[in-house]
Amino acid sequence: MYTEFTAQVRKEIKKSSKARVTESWGRCIGIQLLYLVPFVLLGAILYVVLFGRAFSMLAQGVTDEYRISLAVMQGTNSIWVISLFSLLISGPLQYGLMQFYIGLQRGREPGVGTLLQPFASLHDIWAGIRMVFCLFFRGLLWTIGPAVVCTCLLVWAALNAVLSGRMLSDGAILAIWLLYTLVLIPIEIKLLTYQAGWVLLHDGRETSVWDATGKASRAFKGQYGKLFVFELSFIGWYLLPIGVTCLCLLVGLAGLKVIAGVTGIAVLVLALVAALCLDVVIGGFVSAYTTTSFIGMYEYLAAPAAGEDIPPQDGSFWQPPSDGTGL
């Protein structure tokens, strides 16, 4: 069957995606930075709203803990407004980011400005918001059951321990936590398949985001194990930013210990700045690489099932159409 997803197909998809991302590395980093800017600004605004008045009172010499706590409590009233605004912009921004990755995977050269394209249309803004809430609701439906079961198991274990006149052992807690983690693994794989709904939304084939995510997920039917292996194949890339951060931190701490005074502190600061910059660069590449590869896997599985493409007769690797007219 042509839709069989083999190890060779996986390697070809990753190789093709890596080549495209490497050619557009600068744009991948740029769009990631642009994507983060609104959330960083909202975080800064939230911090100022929560603690700005309290810091101002401390600067004026106010030491009354009640008044300072009251000032912080008054700032919490703005959390809901900022959180709602964050949710409203996250949909269109995610839509624009996925449009960039879809275009990149299909061989086009989307610009960083693609991120903001959904804001030019009320329809696209609303579509992005609906898709984000749809993905959140699907995730809630899949995870609420295991969470309830895990909570009941913990309560049952605690009550059983109390009735037996002993403390709840760490081993029992660890066993329940491990069971919950194992159950979440296939659930997370299932939830990942819904992300392919962005492709259908981009192509305008579905008016309902619920139908788009459902149809996208069905393309992975029988391929969940291979999708899990597909995600595991990126484990080295996921760990790379962590390793770079740890290495920079070790260099900074070593400099602080060996070099006394201001110079040692400067070495630590430079190491932390280097870690941040490298994480941004590596993170932009990894995000683009993994997302475009996932889109490539989905398009490989979905297009033949839709009867839109004829398998090549020479055994060469299938590539999705680059004109944006198909999956």
Side-chain angles (χ1 to χ4, degrees), residues 103-121:
L104 191 64
Q105 200 282 329
R106 291 177 175 177
R108 298 195 290 267
E109 297 183 358
V112 176
T114 304
L115 179 71
L116 304 178
Q117 283 184 359
F119 290 98
S121 168

Side-chain angles (χ1 to χ4, degrees), residues 233-251:
S233 68
F234 294 101
I235 189 67
W237 289 102
Y238 292 139
L239 295 176
L240 182 59
I242 299 176
V244 169
T245 301
C246 292
L247 180 60
C248 291
L249 183 59
L250 287 175
V251 171

Side-chain angles (χ1 to χ4, degrees), residues 211-225:
D211 291 339
T213 52
K215 182 178 179 180
S217 181
R218 287 193 293 272
F220 292 91
K221 185 178 180 180
Q223 308 288 344
Y224 298 125

Side-chain angles (χ1 to χ4, degrees), residues 295-314:
I295 294 171
M297 179 180 182
Y298 165 71
E299 292 190 323
Y300 178 86
L301 295 173
E308 297 174 356
D309 294 271
I310 301 175
Q313 301 300 318
D314 58 358

Side-chain angles (χ1 to χ4, degrees), residues 75-159:
T76 58
N77 296 328
S78 302
I79 292 179
W80 302 107
V81 177
I82 296 177
S83 298
L84 177 61
F85 187 72
S86 178
L87 288 173
L88 291 177
I89 67 171
S90 64
L93 285 175
Q94 184 68 20
Y95 191 12
L97 187 64
M98 291 303 295
Q99 286 181 337
F100 175 86
Y101 289 142
I102 293 169
L104 191 64
Q105 200 282 329
R106 291 177 175 177
R108 298 195 290 267
E109 297 183 358
V112 176
T114 304
L115 179 71
L116 304 178
Q117 283 184 359
F119 290 98
S121 168
L122 290 177
H123 177 270
D124 288 347
I125 292 175
W126 179 233
I129 293 173
R130 286 187 294 119
M131 178 61 82
V132 168
F133 275 94
C134 177
L135 293 172
F136 169 78
F137 184 66
R138 283 191 178 275
L140 186 64
L141 290 178
W142 276 95
T143 56
I144 192 171
V148 170
V149 172
C150 180
T151 302
C152 292
L153 286 175
L154 284 172
V155 172
W156 174 82
L159 289 176

